[in-house]
Amino acid sequence: MADWYARWGKRVLDVAGAGLGLLLLSPLLGGTALAVLLCLGRPILFRQERAGHGGVPFTLLKFRSMRDGPGDDAERLTPFGRRLRASALDELPQLLNVLWGEMSLVGPRPLPMAYNARYTQRQARRLMARPGLAGVAQAAGRNALPWTERLEMDARYAEAIRLRTDLHAIAGTALILLSGRGVSAPGHATMPRFDPAMDTASKESSRIL
C-alpha cells in the first residue's frame, strides 16, 4: 500500500486536490489578487526560484506580501502583508505549482536553491521528496521551529512517504493556520536565513544556558 501511494497514488491525489482547490477557491483567489493590487500594486504575484524534487530549480508562485524598495523583510512587510501571511492566503497560487508537477500537496517546504550547498548529507535527503504546500514541519509549528528540527522532520518524511502521514500533515497544518501560530520565527518578521554556522552556535549557547 505504501509503495503504491509513493509511486503514483500521491500524484493522483495532488492533481485531484489542486484541480478541485483551484476551482472551489477561485473566488478567494480573485479577491486576494484584487486586494494585493489595491494595497501593493503590481506585480500581484511574487516569483522566486526554489529547489524542487532532486534539487532541480522551479519557479515558486505566491501572492506578493511586501512592498518594493530597500530594507529588510520587517521594513517592507506591511500590515496587509502580515495579515496575508498569517492567513497563508499568499501561498494559494502554489496550487498551480502542484498541478504542474513541481510541488505536491504535502512535502517539505521549497527552500532557496542556495540552501542546497549548506545541507548536511542527512538534511539533503529532504530533496528526495517533491516540495509541498503542507508538511510535517508546518504541522509541528511552521516557522516557529528551529532549522535543524525542521530539516530533520523533512528528511524523515522523504524517507517514508505514507498516505496516513500526508493526511495528518494536512490536518495539522490546517490547525496551525487557524490558530495563527508559527507565522514567523521568534524575533524575526518572517524566518531567518538558514545558516548552519549560526544554528550550531545557537545550540551551543542553549547548552551553556
Side-chain angles (χ1 to χ4, degrees), residues 28 47 67 69 75-76 89 100 125 131 143 151 166 170 172:
L28 186 57
R47 294 174 169 86
R67 59 172 176 258
E75 294 170 321
R76 295 188 296 114
L89 291 177
W100 297 334
R125 296 185 73 80
N143 288 334
L151 297 177
D166 280 8
I170 291 172

Side-chain angles (χ1 to χ4, degrees), residues 106-108 134-141 145 150 153-154 157 165-166 169 173:
V106 179
V136 291
Q138 284 66 47
L145 293 180
R150 290 178 64 186
M153 286 184 173
D154 290 343
Y157 172 82
T165 305
D166 280 8
T173 301

Side-chain angles (χ1 to χ4, degrees), residues 45-164:
L45 291 179
F46 168 78
R47 294 174 169 86
Q48 188 179 58
E49 189 176 75
R50 298 287 180 95
H53 187 206
V56 176
F58 75 99
T59 301
L60 175 114
L61 302 176
K62 295 178 68 171
F63 282 123
R64 191 158 69 95
S65 59
M66 295 185 186
R67 59 172 176 258
D68 292 331
D72 58 19
D73 288 354
E75 294 170 321
R76 295 188 296 114
L77 192 59
T78 65
F80 165 76
R82 292 180 189 278
R83 291 193 295 271
L84 187 63
R85 282 174 172 260
S87 68
L89 291 177
D90 61 320
E91 309 285 358
L92 287 182
Q94 288 161 48
L95 287 170
L96 288 170
N97 290 122
V98 175
L99 201 61
W100 297 334
E102 298 165 330
M103 289 180 61
S104 176
L105 292 176
V106 179
R109 283 299 293 163
L111 299 176
M113 289 294 296
Y115 289 9
N116 288 2
R118 304 178 190 176
Y119 298 142
T120 64
Q121 187 174 5
R122 171 66 179 168
Q123 292 167 346
R125 296 185 73 80
R126 71 189 306 278
L127 299 173
M128 294 166 50
R130 218 179 245 114
L133 268 170
V136 291
Q138 284 66 47
R142 208 174 171 188
N143 288 334
L145 293 180
W147 274 113
T148 49
E149 192 172 340
R150 290 178 64 186
L151 297 177
E152 174 58 27
M153 286 184 173
D154 290 343
R156 287 202 303 265
Y157 172 82
E159 290 175 336
I161 295 174
R162 301 286 188 272
L163 175 60
R164 183 173 63 178

